[in-house]
Structures are given as structure tokens and as C-alpha cells.
Amino acid sequence: PSADLIKPKLAPLNEGGSELLNKTVACLQEENEKLKTRLKTLETQATAALDEKSKLEKSLKDLQMIQGDQKTNANQDITELENKVAALKCQFEKTLNDSTANQKFLEENLVTTKHDLLKVQDQLSTAEKELEKKFQQTAAYRNMKEILTKKNEQIKDLRKKLSK
């Protein structure tokens, strides 16, 4: 008797079977709805991915066409730049030759000017010597020289006295 109280009794199969079956069907339908929703989401994502793929393929084709055009333009630009460089090189060589001729002329002109300057300096030096000679021969120069010599001696004497 005490063992019967502890063990639960199983319900007969006929009584709870339909209820269990209904619960199982409801769970399966719920799971089916979830799967349908998931399937719709995946279909939407797959469609979006396909659309994106087609857009990217179109963009890739456009880029390839642009790159082809750019290569053609780049080749034209390179040719133009090479022509400009050649023209600039010719112009530089011409300018260099002109500068060399101009430099030789300036060097010759500088040498001539230097000789003229030396002649003028020599003439100036000679004139200064003659003027100095004439000035020294004047009486005013000799008097001034004597006065300055006396003043210089007086200053020396004053310094000696002051230092003592």
C-alpha cells in the first residue's frame, strides 16, 4: 500500500493521447511559422545580395572601360610631356650657349674696366703725392706742425705730473 502512494499512476493511453497530439501539432505549426519567417528573411537577403552582385559587376565593367580610356589618355599625356621636355631641353641649351657668350663678353669688359681702374688709381696716387708735397712746402703747414708738436709735448708732461 505505501508503495502505491509513492509511484504515480500512468494515465491510460486513450484519455490523454489526443491532447498530447494537439500539443505536438501546435508546436510543429509554431516551428513551421518560424521556419517560414526565417526562409523569407533568407530569400530577402539572397535577393539583395544578387542585386548587389549585379550592381558591382556593372560598376566593374564601367571601371574597366574608364581604365582603358585612362590608359589611352596617359599614353597621350606621356607623349606630350616627352615633347615638352625635348623643347625645354633645346631652349635650355640655346640659353646656355647665349649665357656662355654673354659671360665671355662680361669677362672681357671686366678686365678692361680693371685696367682702367688701376690707371685712375695710379693717377690719383700721383696727384695726392704732388698735393701733399706742395702743402708741406707752405709756411702754414710748418707752423701747424710745430704747434701740434708743442701741444703733444705739453700733454705728455701733464700726464707725467698727474701720474705722480
Side-chain angles (χ1 to χ4, degrees), residues 2-162:
S2 60
D4 289 337
L5 292 176
I6 296 174
K7 288 185 182 179
K9 291 185 179 180
L10 294 175
L13 289 176
N14 300 356
E15 291 176 7
S18 64
E19 188 179 318
L20 181 62
L21 187 60
N22 286 337
K23 283 184 182 179
T24 307
V25 168
C27 284
L28 288 174
Q29 285 177 345
E30 189 179 310
E31 230 178 282
N32 192 20
E33 290 298 320
K34 288 180 184 177
L35 287 173
K36 284 181 183 178
T37 306
R38 177 82 173 130
L39 182 62
K40 285 181 184 178
T41 304
L42 288 175
E43 283 178 355
T44 305
Q45 289 175 350
T47 306
L50 286 174
D51 290 344
E52 186 70 22
K53 179 185 173 191
S54 63
K55 287 179 187 176
L56 289 175
E57 286 175 346
K58 184 180 177 194
S59 296
L60 180 63
K61 287 178 184 177
D62 292 343
L63 282 175
Q64 287 173 344
M65 288 175 52
I66 290 171
Q67 284 179 342
D69 293 344
Q70 285 179 347
K71 285 180 182 179
T72 304
N73 290 340
N75 289 337
Q76 290 173 351
D77 290 345
I78 289 172
T79 304
E80 287 176 15
L81 286 175
E82 287 173 346
N83 292 338
K84 284 182 183 179
V85 168
L88 287 173
K89 186 176 179 182
C90 290
Q91 186 179 2
F92 175 72
E93 288 175 359
K94 182 182 175 192
T95 305
L96 185 62
N97 291 336
D98 291 346
S99 295
T100 304
N102 193 20
Q103 186 178 5
K104 287 180 182 177
F105 171 75
L106 288 175
E107 285 177 0
E108 291 171 2
N109 195 6
L110 180 64
V111 169
T112 305
T113 306
K114 211 173 194 181
H115 287 297
D116 291 345
L117 177 65
L118 290 173
K119 286 179 187 175
V120 170
Q121 283 179 341
D122 187 42
Q123 291 172 355
L124 184 61
S125 175
T126 305
E128 282 181 355
K129 287 179 183 175
E130 289 177 11
L131 186 62
E132 184 68 28
K133 194 175 188 183
K134 287 181 182 178
F135 184 72
Q136 287 179 0
Q137 292 173 355
T138 62
Y141 174 76
R142 283 181 289 199
N143 287 341
M144 184 63 79
K145 191 175 179 181
E146 288 176 15
I147 291 171
L148 288 174
T149 306
K150 285 181 184 177
K151 290 292 180 185
N152 195 17
E153 289 176 12
Q154 288 175 357
I155 290 173
K156 286 180 184 177
D157 289 339
L158 280 173
R159 282 187 183 161
K160 287 180 185 177
K161 288 180 184 177
L162 287 174

